[in-house]
Amino acid sequence: MSDFAFAPELTGAPAAPRQSFWRADVVLMAAAVFLSPINYLRADFAYITLSDVFLMMSLVVMYAQGRVPLAPFGQVSMAWYCSVFLLAFGLLVSSAIRGDLVAGLTVVGQYCFSLLVVPLLLLQRSRAEVLFLIKVFVAAMVFVMLHGSWYMEFAPKDFRFVTPSGRMSTLVERENAAAALAAIAITFSLWLYFTREIRLLMLVVLTVPLAYGLLQTGSNTGFFLTVIGAVCLALFSGALRLLLGMAMTAGLLVFVTILWGEYFLPDIFVERVMGALETGNMDEAGTFSDRMYLIHEAYGVTRRTIWIGLGADQYRTISAHGAPVHNTYLLLLAEGGIVSLLGHFGLMATGLMIGLPMMLARQTRWYGVLTITIIIMLALVQNGLAHFYARFWAVPWFLALAISLAPADDTEDEALPQS
């Protein structure tokens, strides 16, 4: 047991009874979670990843076992389903009227798999199973970062995992997404430590490859997202010692980085992130100016797509850059109209409705803290994404919701006494 008592409501709790993780559905879900960030392992003919195969196998097994939950989101299940319907309806109607119906069905199918099937498999599990799967996801991201670091060091010209500009994209195949997932994994790791699920030594073992891999992506998004995740954990916990400890650690890191960062930080991070931080000139932050151009372009487009959008995957056909705007909110408004955007906001709001009551109750505060923190991180990172139906976004999202939705039992009531 760790002596790091930043989660006082957990201190002195009797050990929960050990649960077996050798059920077929748990093993299959562990494989699916581990493979979820490995986007490289996917089919050529459609966006079907190896993780999806294990997800479907798990669905079949859970259905045969009678374990598929009827209301995975608990009392707010109807709000979630209505939000998914709005998001899908806006994209389908816009695709049928102004775009390409086949493309619309394809994109909506991806969203429905991520937003309807994946939560059926992850939510309403016991907290012990959810904690296990969170640890599996963190282990997967450590593997992904180590894999990318090896290629950065020994095969920097292998453009499957390293971009021509020298940024690490690793098995995620997207440098900014890899950095954002590393930030989420670091946040998960910190939370596991604060709740005494792992020791300090294990925290260091996990965060060192995650942090170094994040630096090698040269991603401003991932860097700031990591800071936001740590700050949210500290603020929402309400633990003064944690706030002071993290503030002192952050100050020390900033001091060391400013004075000696160029001697030990990866060159790509110094070039893309440190330069922008030191000068305040965001034009030095890689593709920032190109993204801002697409955002300004999208503002003009959305004036004509409030009610009926362009249709799914059609923004690239009218863009001067031939690419979708890297802002999920603007992209949904442009391609699906206000109906799809409202559906997306409904998904975020439903997550908050799940996490807030848990965070406000002392017994379950730390569960709610993780849920709200991950939702905030995902809401922010979508300012730099196009569509977000990839399973490597869905899995950490629903793991964060699952920890708050896990059914309570008598043992847990004893383990989390109010103080």
Side-chain angles (χ1 to χ4, degrees), residues 229-251:
V231 169
C232 286
L233 286 180
L235 286 177
F236 297 153
S237 71
L240 181 60
R241 286 181 59 199
L242 177 55
L243 286 168
L244 293 176
M246 293 191 70
M248 293 174 61
T249 302

Side-chain angles (χ1 to χ4, degrees), residues 15-80:
R18 290 185 177 273
Q19 298 193 21
S20 172
F21 294 117
W22 294 107
R23 288 200 328 264
D25 67 295
V26 178
V27 173
L28 290 171
M29 278 308 302
V33 169
F34 188 87
L35 291 167
S36 62
I38 305 179
N39 198 55
Y40 179 74
L41 300 178
R42 67 181 189 279
D44 293 330
F45 58 87
Y47 186 62
I48 301 173
T49 66
L50 184 58
S51 177
D52 296 340
V53 175
F54 280 93
L55 288 170
M56 291 306 299
M57 292 170 63
S58 181
L59 179 62
V60 171
V61 171
M62 288 177 64
Y63 180 78
Q65 295 174 337
R67 290 181 175 273
V68 178
L70 297 177
F73 295 90
Q75 296 180 346
V76 297
S77 294
M78 187 56 66
W80 182 270

Side-chain angles (χ1 to χ4, degrees), residues 87-88 94 101 114 147 161 177 215 217 226 253 315 349 351 353 372 376:
L87 189 151
S94 298
L101 184 56
S114 290
H147 171 277
F161 309 120
L215 296 178
T217 65
T226 304
L253 288 174
Y315 187 94
M353 286 191 288
I372 298 299
I376 290 173

Side-chain angles (χ1 to χ4, degrees), residues 135-180:
K135 293 173 184 178
V136 169
F137 177 79
V138 173
M141 283 309 303
V142 170
F143 171 77
V144 167
M145 292 293 105
L146 289 173
H147 171 277
S149 296
W150 190 92
Y151 273 87
M152 287 285 286
E153 181 67 26
F154 299 107
K157 300 300 183 182
D158 190 329
F159 296 142
R160 294 176 302 168
F161 309 120
V162 181
T163 69
S165 61
R167 300 175 64 191
M168 187 180 79
S169 57
T170 188
L171 291 163
V172 184
E173 297 186 302
R174 298 168 174 84
E175 52 272 34
N176 286 324

